[in-house]
Structures are given as C-alpha cells and as structure tokens.
C-alpha cells in the first residue's frame, strides 16, 4: 500500500513510527506492507519518492523542524505541493492529518475531493472534512468504489466507528452518548477530587491536555464536532453544528459537583445524538452508569441498540500512538477489503 | 446464504426470528439474504428443504415442541440426521447451536470437522468445539479457506471477538480480563445490596439466570470456558481447562464484601488470561476500575494492548436475541468477506 500524507505533526509521526516498528508483525500477521511515498506539510516542506521515503530519515527531519535535512536522492522531489502530489503520485491512500478547522474544513476538504477524483482511498484524523463535508465525500467515495475512513476523529484508536459500523452492522443504533473530550473529563475528575475549576484547568494545561486557549474543549466544541461525525456515520444524517445544542463545563461549580455527589451522582460532559438531533452538555449521571466510572482523560461511548441493548466502549481519546493506531486500523481495514 | 443448523433451542430460534424480522433491512443495508435450509435437533425432529424452510412455520413448530406440525411439502425431508444433512445439503454455513459440553464437546466437534470437510463455514454458539477443538478446527478451516466464527460463545453479541481480532488487529494484546458470567455478577451485585448468598442465588434462579444446578456458573467453569476461547483466539495458545486456575464465588461471604466496601473496593468474579496462562477467581477491584462499575447480569472485558493501553467493552452476556444477534454478526462477517 502506497500512502501520501498531508500534514506530519505528532499524529502523522505516530503513524510513521508504528509502520516502522510493526513492519515485520504487520507483514507476517496481516499480510500488510505499506510505504509512505509522499508527505506535504505547511511548515516543514514537502517530500516525494516513488519508491517510498525512509521513515527514520523522515522522523529525524521532522524532529529538526524541516525536511531540508532529509537525505538527498536522485529521484527525490521536494517541489510537489498538495494538489500536485495528489494528482501525480502513484499512491493508493491519502492520509489527511493536517490540523482540524471546524469552520471551513479547508483546504483539507478540497484535497479530499481531489484525492477521490484521482482514485485514492481516504483516511483522516482531520475532523473538518468529515464533520462538514461528510455527505458529498461519502457519495463521491461510493461512486468511485473507494473508502473514506476516519476512526481517528472520534476517541483516537478506540474502535468507536469500527464497532458502530462493522461490529454492530446488523443492529439498529437508536442513540449514542459519550464522553468524547478527555480534557474536560480530566478537569471534572480533578474538581470531583476537590480542585477548583481554574486550578484543574491549569493542571490540564500543564499536562498538555488543554491548549493555551482552552475554549474549544471547555465550551464543548471539540465534543460537538465528534458527535456530529458519529451522527453522520450512524444515521446518515445531514446534521450541522447549528443543529446541536452545545454547552460546555465553564458554568459547573464545585457546589454543583458536591450537590451531585450527595445524590450519588457525578457530572460528566455528555455528547449525545439520535436520529432527531444532538447535544453536548454537562449531565448528572447515576454512579452505576458505566460512563460515570470513566475518570481522567479517558473517553467512552454508549450505543443504544435494538437487539443488544446498551453497548459501552471505554478507551483512550487522544495521544500520539493512540491516534496513529487509529490511522493504521483504517489502513488495515482498507487492506482487508481490497485483498479479499 | 444458505444455512443449516444443529440445535434449535432459544438461541437458534432467536437467530431465526432476527432473520425473519430484519430480512428487508439486511437486504437493503447489507446486501444480505439468508435462508435456513435445514435444521437438526435432538428432541424436535429434523427438517430439510433445498429452497429454504418457512421461518414462521419453523418457529411455530418449535414452540409446539415438535417439527411434526411443520407444514408438509413435496420436497421437504424429515429423515436427514446431522451427518447426512451436513454431507447432502446444498449450504454455505453450519450454525452449531446445540448445548455446550465442556467435557468432550461431542458430537458437535465431529459435526464441525465434517462441515469443514464438506466446504461449509462454521458459526458457533456452542462453546465446546471452540474451547476444546480450537487448534484443529482452525487449521482445517484455514486449509480450506473457510471461516470459523464464534462471537456468540463469549458475551453473546457484545462484539468481544470482533474487537479483539478485527478492530484491534494492528495492536498486540498482552492480556484480557473480564466479567464473563452474568449469573455470578448478578449474585455479587445483590450481595453488595445486602442479600445473603443463598437468597441472591435463589433470586438468580427465579429470574432464569442460574440453572437448577448452578455449579457451572458459581464455581467458575462457565467463565473458564469463555476465557479459554478468548485465550485461543488472541494468543493462538493451546491452553486447556487444566491450565487454568479456577475458583468460583461460593466462598465469598457478606463479611468479605463489607470488608472490600470499607476499602472502596468491590468483589467481581474476574476471568483473566495472558500468553502465560489464565485464571478465574473473585478479585477485589478499586471502584475506579471500569469493571467495578458493571452491575447485574451485564458482562465486560478489558483488553490490555501495546498501542492503545486498556480498551473496555461492556454489554449483554446472555439473552435469546442478544446471542442470536451474535450469530447474525458472524454470518454478516462471512458475507462481507466473501462478497468483496
């Protein structure tokens, strides 16, 4: 499988590491071999080699901040921009791991369309094109008998979409509700342990969970983007951000948390969706709800189904290798379906 | 897909109901159509019709206790025993849903071997052949390019094996531990609420969770059979029942449970396995372990992986439709892999 990548930040580097470290195992156990033939970035430069790039060299160059230090080679090209790479590279899959923009999804959305037009499967960690362009991308992919996969966009490599779409294929899912943002769950868990909101947020920032401007997390927008993606995947709905009621955790006080505790309840930022619409809001859950037991930066999702009742999946929601693994699991799914 | 079934108890009838009630949805959404062409039972009789049996008629006859009341038809045969049916039926899959025998796995094990020899995929709810004959069946299936699937044997239709084998295919699983027996989890949950062991057991029996002779559940053997199946699936190990340390819940007193509670812990009957071996035993879990929050007859499993850390799956572990769905999910997986 020949891969081109747009973006080569932590997550893209995570995938590259895994492909390098697991090469033997993936070959022997899954019959899977992959080469990264091209990488385009906003700040490090671009690289293309038809025979495949050297992953060690790629990771070292990325660490140095620029692909200028990647070893020279006759057939190496440094001049191909994203559109040129998508059109000219001999490749099977575009891995889109550039930063998410939930306002316009651009330029990634255009790149994805171009990739499908050029016969490339799509694998995304970038939430933008999936949250905002799902319907048109999905239709274009189906038309060309190509796959669009995006396990990395919801709960990193915890197999949320795999379970919803494949493992539960014969069930009707009527609703999904979950803890889809690790930063806010970490903050709420710390508040439960007695920390005021501001201190818990500081701690989350110090640990690298929350960004300097934490509003995307604490006001619920990150969780909203993810539940939107799930809604589209499960219900084929054409929901947009405007259809969601979104409230974050900024108004939750320690008094609120104490009041919940006194009633054997616990506050969680719950993203939920059904065929009728969705929301993100702090909810008081009874302690025997599996979601109530999910502490720290861990994520979780409960699917309500017709035949199986509630099915809950708990796992990592972020992390370099965890998100890199999500990309690998999508590549393996494409490999399995085209190999058979 | 043409299906023959050995056994037609509650679980087999559950599958038949689902195939009937979801026929349109399965056709339109999954491109899947299935006919049950033959059924062999120990007490109700046998039926075979090359064009497919009428599911309503089949369910009504099963309810009456005998297939004698199934409507007559020129091409209907009532004389084919299991071996004859496997050899002569034009079919794609054998669904083995006769009662589990963890001592010998017979006669189901021989039927499974014969089915593979005759080009049939295998789907099992019967734990015996998987727990005791995994290696030879798996090798025979691989040799003939056939599939052996057994989602129903562990946690009913909660996609335990699907997650372990497909969704986590690129991860190395180092260990699995879970609550794999709903009856004992129900009893422990009731004891936690103050009921003595004997009363909790009586209640479980009244609800149909526990059998009249509850020893298979309360002494840990049911959970042991399931963790053995998981061990074989995950590690390709050749563990047998003798390799497992098995202890049930019969020695757990209310004092034990109170002592755990005082330490913010909770007793659960935990089945666990790694490449080195496995065990079933009551364990005291801290309340923040996701498995500790699993109450009543619900089941759960945690996989420890290299790239994703811990992944936990919580869902039903029994039930007619829940186990019937497990069989459907295996049939769909076979359909997907042969359709592509």
């Amino acid at each position: 499988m020949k891969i081109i990548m747009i973006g080569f930040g932590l997550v893209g580097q995570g995938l590259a590491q895994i492909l390098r470290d697991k090469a033997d195992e993936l070959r022997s156990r899954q019959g899977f071999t992959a080469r990264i033939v091209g990488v385009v970035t906003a700040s490090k430069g671009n690289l293309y080699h038809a025979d495949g790039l050297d992953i060690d060299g790629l990771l070292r160059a990325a660490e140095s901040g620029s692909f200028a230090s990647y070893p020279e080679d006759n057939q190496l090209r440094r001049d191909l921009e994203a559109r040129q790479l998508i059109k000219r590279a001999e490749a099977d899959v575009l891995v889109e791991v550039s930063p998410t923009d939930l306002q316009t999804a651009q330029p990634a959305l255009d790149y994805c369309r171009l990739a499908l037009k050029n016969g490339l499967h799509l694998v995304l960690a970038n939430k933008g094109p999936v949250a905002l362009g799902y319907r048109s991308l999905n239709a274009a992919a189906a038309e060309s008998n190509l796959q669009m996969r995006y396990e990395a966009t919801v709960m990193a490599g915890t197999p949320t979409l795999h379970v919803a779409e494949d493992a539960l294929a014969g069930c009707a899912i009527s609703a999904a509700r979950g803890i889809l943002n690790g930063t806010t769950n970490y903050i709420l868990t710390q508040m439960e342990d007695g920390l005021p909101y501001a201190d818990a947020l500081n701690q989350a920032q110090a640990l690298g969970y929350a960004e300097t401007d934490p509003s995307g997390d604490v006001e619920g927008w990150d969780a909203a983007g993810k539940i939107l993606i799930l809604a589209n995947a499960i219900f084929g709905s054409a929901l947009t951000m405007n259809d969601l009621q979104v409230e974050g955790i900024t108004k939750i006080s320690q008094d609120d948390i104490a009041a919940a505790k006194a009633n054997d309840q616990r506050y969680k930022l719950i993203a939920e969706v059904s065929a009728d619409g969705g929301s993100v809001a702090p909810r008081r859950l009874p302690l025997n709800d599996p979601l109530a037991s999910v502490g720290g930066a861990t994520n979780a999702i409960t699917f309500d189904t017709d035949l199986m009742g509630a099915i809950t999946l708990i796992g990592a929601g972020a992390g370099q290798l965890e998100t890199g693994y999500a990309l690998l699991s999508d590549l393996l799914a494409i490999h399995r379906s085209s190999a058979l």
Side-chain angles (χ1 to χ4, degrees), chain A:
Chain A
M1 182 181 281
K2 292 184 180 177
I3 297 166
I4 58 174
M5 300 178 70
I6 296 187
F8 201 68
L10 282 180
V11 168
Q13 293 170 44
L15 173 63
Q17 277 178 42
I18 295 171
L19 289 176
R20 178 193 63 189
D21 298 342
K22 293 220 161 199
D24 291 345
E25 189 186 327
L26 291 169
R27 191 185 307 115
S28 64
R29 294 189 52 169
Q30 316 284 337
F32 177 78
T33 54
R35 275 176 290 175
I36 300 171
V37 296
V39 180
V40 166
T41 70
S43 64
K44 301 182 188 79
N46 309 322
L47 293 171
Y48 174 67
H49 195 300
D51 297 337
L53 297 163
D54 173 63
I55 292 185
D56 276 326
L58 196 56
L59 289 169
R60 265 195 302 270
E63 211 175 324
S64 80
S66 164
F67 289 161
S69 61
Y70 184 87
E72 211 43 71
D73 180 298
N74 268 345
Q75 293 169 59
L76 185 73
R77 295 191 60 166
R78 300 178 184 270
D79 58 326
L80 297 181
E81 308 279 345
R83 281 167 217 276
Q84 299 166 310
L85 183 69
I86 292 167
K87 283 188 199 164
R88 297 203 201 159
E90 274 185 51
D92 305 299
V93 183
L94 169 66
V95 173
E96 226 304 342
V97 286
S98 66
T100 291
D101 176 338
L102 283 177
Q103 305 301 315
T104 70
Q106 292 295 12
L109 185 53
D110 283 345
Y111 296 156
C112 288
R113 290 185 175 132
L114 190 65
L116 291 173
K117 209 182 274 181
N118 282 271
L120 297 174
H121 298 287
L122 284 185
V123 169
L124 297 101
N126 182 341
K127 289 187 275 295
V130 194
L132 306 184
Y134 177 78
R135 284 220 150 182
S136 68
L137 288 176
N138 202 40
E143 208 167 279
S144 309
N145 217 2
L146 293 165
Q147 294 195 41
M148 167 173 70
R149 301 193 70 103
Y150 41 93
E151 187 65 80
T153 60
V154 183
M155 289 174 65
T158 302
T160 320
L161 290 154
H162 198 111
V163 165
E165 297 187 318
D166 292 344
L168 297 178
C171 281
I173 297 175
S174 55
R177 64 181 184 287
I179 297 168
L180 301 183
N181 180 271
T183 307
T184 46
N185 203 54
Y186 178 83
I187 292 172
L188 289 175
T189 305
Q190 294 303 104
M191 289 176 75
E192 185 109 7
D193 287 349
L195 230 57
Y197 173 79
D199 294 359
L201 174 58
N202 283 340
Q203 214 171 83
Q205 285 170 323
L207 286 165
Y209 294 152
E211 322 222 357
T212 318
D213 173 3
S215 55
D217 288 327
V218 300
E219 288 172 12
W221 296 108
D222 174 74
K226 291 169 180 169
I227 202 73
L228 197 60
I229 289 172
L230 268 179
N232 289 335
I234 296 173
F235 304 111
S237 54
L239 290 182
T240 69
M241 280 292 203
N242 294 330
D243 299 313
L244 300 179
Q245 301 281 332
V246 180
E247 187 190 329
I249 62 164
T250 52
K251 290 178 196 150
I252 303 294
S253 68
Q254 279 189 288
D255 287 350
D256 294 328
I257 283 177
K261 221 175 195 170
N263 283 293
D264 278 339
Q265 293 176 321
R266 191 170 280 158
Y267 267 102
K268 293 292 175 189
L269 184 65
I270 297 296
E272 51 193 325
V273 75
S274 69
D276 301 329
S279 67
V280 176
R283 308 271 180 208
R284 284 164 68 153
L285 304 185
L287 292 184
N288 62 0
D289 185 320
L291 297 181
S293 74
V294 176
T298 304
N299 284 17
I301 185 97
T302 299
F303 298 108
D304 288 330
T305 73
D306 56 348
L307 297 176
M308 290 302 305
I311 299 265
T312 299
L313 190 58
I314 304 173
Q320 180 177 25
L321 287 179
E322 290 83 350
T323 313
Y325 171 70
L327 299 168
L328 172 65
S329 75
D330 282 346
L331 296 173
L332 285 173
I334 291 170
H335 165 70
R336 276 197 298 269
S337 66
S338 44
L340 281 159

